[in-house]
Amino acid sequence: MVIDNKKVTIRTENQSEYEEVNEIIYEAFAEQHGIETGKFMMEHFKKERQKETFVPELSLVAVLDDGTIIGEVALHETDIITETGKHTQLVLSQCAVLPKYRMQGIMRMLVEYALDKAQKMGYGAVFLGGNPKLYARYGFEPSSKYGIYHENRKKWGDEGFMVCILKSGTLDGVTGTTSYYGG
């Protein structure tokens, strides 16, 4: 993909870029949803990076060929708590694109690359809490269809809690609850 005569590539985020990526998350969410949401999402991701569930290989950035980072996406591990134990899969924590670069296919590029990489790493499903209309275009569907619910479903309901199946049969016989961020 080329934007402003510059090639866009997706690659793994480097530790030295954490602050720059944090600012992208802040700017993207603040511009679209307000300053408080921007701060919340930035702080949320900072905390996610510190957890055992953080998968550095699935913390990705979209970069112009001049080195400018214009977007990011991150997938983390999450557990489905079942009657017989835990079943670990992934959650799409967030995806952010700088406002100047929206509506140019960057988000699609990031999400599709992340899902493909997760599948190649052996994961079978990715969950998220988000806009059903937006994420349906990437193959996400209600997780309740598979008998998997967010632990706060009484508070938030089931709408917006979704899953993308990367490997057929991954959730066969798996029912339970998850506890990932779902906002």
Side-chain angles (χ1 to χ4, degrees), residues 5-176:
N5 295 319
K6 296 175 184 150
K7 184 180 174 189
V8 179
T9 56
I10 307 296
R11 64 165 170 77
T12 304
E13 172 192 41
N14 296 317
Q15 229 175 348
S16 63
E17 298 167 328
Y18 283 3
E19 286 308 311
E20 184 178 358
V21 171
N22 291 343
E23 286 301 315
I24 290 168
I25 293 168
Y26 170 77
E27 190 175 330
F29 282 93
E31 190 272 339
Q32 197 166 28
H33 302 288
I35 291 170
E36 291 306 312
T37 300
K39 287 179 184 175
F40 175 84
M41 290 304 293
M42 181 177 69
E43 291 303 318
H44 168 73
F45 189 46
K46 284 181 181 180
K47 291 175 188 171
E48 288 296 313
R49 280 195 194 107
Q50 304 305 312
K51 295 180 180 177
E52 288 181 17
T53 57
F54 180 65
V55 183
E57 301 86 356
L58 293 173
S59 187
L60 307 168
V61 290
V63 185
L64 298 177
D65 59 10
D66 67 1
T68 304
I69 298 174
I70 60 172
E72 68 78 40
V73 66
L75 279 66
H76 304 265
E77 289 186 335
T78 189
D79 288 328
I80 304 163
I81 307 303
T82 70
E83 289 181 5
T84 58
K86 295 178 183 179
H87 184 79
T88 302
Q89 289 298 328
L90 295 170
V91 59
L92 192 152
S93 181
Q94 82 286 320
C95 185
V97 175
L98 287 172
K100 176 182 176 181
Y101 296 99
R102 286 199 183 123
M103 306 304 290
Q104 297 183 53
I106 303 300
M107 181 179 177
R108 174 172 293 284
M109 206 174 152
L110 282 160
V111 171
E112 288 177 350
Y113 187 96
L115 295 175
D116 183 61
K117 187 168 184 172
Q119 182 182 35
K120 287 175 180 170
M121 290 175 67
Y123 291 98
V126 177
F127 291 84
L128 67 76
N131 181 331
K133 290 179 184 174
L134 174 64
Y135 286 101
R137 67 180 90 164
Y138 304 111
F140 285 86
E141 56 189 332
S143 62
S144 58
K145 175 180 172 181
Y146 296 90
I148 300 170
Y149 304 92
H150 194 277
E151 69 178 4
N152 288 324
R153 80 185 284 217
K154 288 183 182 177
K155 178 180 176 183
W156 293 328
D158 292 333
E159 186 178 9
F161 292 99
M162 307 175 74
V163 65
C164 178
I165 305 299
L166 303 176
K167 182 180 174 190
S168 182
T170 292
L171 299 179
D172 289 355
V174 178
T175 59

